[in-house]
Amino acid sequence: MNNDIDIEDIQGLITKGYSDLAACKFLLLAIKDKAAAKKWLRSIVPEVTRSNQKQPQAALNIAFTYDGLEALGLPATSLDTFPLELQDGMITPHKQLFLGDHGESAPGNWEWGAQHTDAIHILVALYAATEQDLASLCSSYRAGFKGNGIREVRELATAGLTKRKEHFGFHDGIAQPTIAGLNRKDVPENTVATGEFILGYKNSYNQFTLSPAVSEQVGESNLLPKGNAPDLRDLGRNGSYLVFRQMEQDVQLFWQYMDKATTHDGKCDAPAMIKLASKMVGRWPGGAPVTACPHQDTPDKENDNSFTYRDSDPEGLNCPVGSHIRRTNPRDMLDFNRKTSIDISNKHRILRRGRSYGTPVCESLDPQEILQATEVQGKRGLHFICINADIGRQFEFIQNSWVNNPKFLSLYDERDPIIGNNMHPQFPEETGVFSSPTDGLRDRHTGIPRFVTIKGGAYFFLPGIRALTYLSTI
Ligand code: N7H
């Protein structure tokens, strides 16, 4: 482990997704009594999972919204040092436009995190090996909330699906950037500056990302490292920002669209249907990248991440330019110079830490079985979580400039077919387009509806461990 990185002080969720801990719940809390809440915080800091803990049996991580930091009593002078993205949150009219949250996805329709729903102050993320272990972990923490001025606003349950898939049936959680300095072996192209994900370290610009600060006069500030002015302490060091979006997936609509788009003479063409969906994602259901395996899913490539696009697939004949993975990480396609392009892409990377929720339409997640399913009940989707040190330059940029940008690279009227808000804000009857180039021509798929709807969300500050203790002393 690189000695320069204070791994012990970094919450575990930044460096790992706890994939061995299949059971997980997110609790959204509100502070009712700040003195009692700080006492509670102090008591649980020793239980918070750190990045140096190898294969923990269970995990706990904690993050705060801007409102939560205010409710805890952080002075305004310190609150002002947080980035505007955290201060503004996700639901201002400007952000709505920026993130594409209109129509059904507008915050007015959200179940949490919106103006009409209860304020969210704290996110508690709990992980365990089994549902039984998770239930007992949860009840012991819940006992701690009571009598400590903390109210549980919402519980967000999760569901582990077969073969590490998400609800549409695609193997997920494959491509992640490797944090520089953590002694994990990866190619240089996928190794991204520490400061892109952890505050207090140099980022891809060889600079320190702005970090929130506190006055030396407030709380036990000697717990924190010195800040960039004589009377300031660095509250951000070893922390990060966590983006949470509850994304409901209409799984049947997804496969009905793929089916209709590939049915000929009234006959379903299952291989063509699966190929179209895979081209929209950029990977086959099993995980193999379509750019490297254009004809079929290839089991021994299920975790392959060793591809780029410029040399092997510049026009997107295999993996269309507008596919989900080419948009969210264009790799070497942004500039004629390969290195420059990868350097640019790597200024907009995120660590994905989401978990699926809800009962799958069918256990197998096989597209044909999904299509045949009747009397499907309940809602399902992804609790999308990502970690980044600069919400504006990382998550928001991806969402605005790539996912929902109709003019992305060589395209002119398409959005991300999987997660883009395909309904136009002014013309809700308009639907999405996806073009898939073929030799000399292109297949243009129109009438793509919204497959994913936002149901809630918030931005959180995920402090370092010492900063968590500090927050209990203010
Ligand atoms: Fe995506 N999906 O199932 O179709 N995503 N994603 N995502 N996503 C990826 O490589 C999916 C969402 C990224 O480096 C895969 O892990 C779904 C948001 C990035 O090659 C699959 C939802 C954002 C990558 C999905 C959803 C991103 C990526 C391929 C919501 C950011 C890596 C498997 C319901 C704003 C790209 C893998 C790379 C991959 C799906 C959301 C970003 C299968 C269903 C909101 C950066």
Side-chain angles (χ1 to χ4, degrees), residues 250-279:
D250 194 334
V251 176
Q252 285 177 297
L253 185 68
F254 180 83
W255 285 108
Q256 279 157 6
Y257 177 86
M258 304 304 154
D259 181 27
K260 204 167 148 218
T262 50
T263 289
H264 293 296
D265 301 330
K267 268 203 195 136
C268 166
D269 181 347
M273 164 180 95
I274 294 169
K275 190 170 185 178
L276 173 60
S278 305
K279 281 189 174 250

Side-chain angles (χ1 to χ4, degrees), residues 137-188:
L137 204 65
C138 249
S139 54
S140 80
Y141 284 116
R142 281 192 169 123
F145 305 154
K146 283 195 188 127
N148 273 319
I150 291 171
R151 188 172 75 80
E152 187 175 323
V153 176
R154 205 171 178 89
E155 169 194 303
L156 301 172
T158 72
L161 307 182
T162 182
K163 298 181 187 156
R164 289 177 55 205
K165 291 191 173 194
E166 53 66 59
H167 281 288
F168 292 143
F170 289 83
H171 179 20
D172 201 3
I174 307 166
Q176 299 276 20
T178 291
I179 305 176
L182 284 186
N183 262 10
R184 281 183 201 151
K185 264 198 158 161
D186 202 342
V187 291

Side-chain angles (χ1 to χ4, degrees), residues 166 172-175 283 324 328-329 331 352 384 399 419:
E166 53 66 59
D172 201 3
I174 307 166
R283 287 186 183 265
H324 177 62
T328 52
N329 181 12
R331 301 185 186 219
R352 289 173 299 137
F384 171 84
Q399 185 73 21
I419 62 163

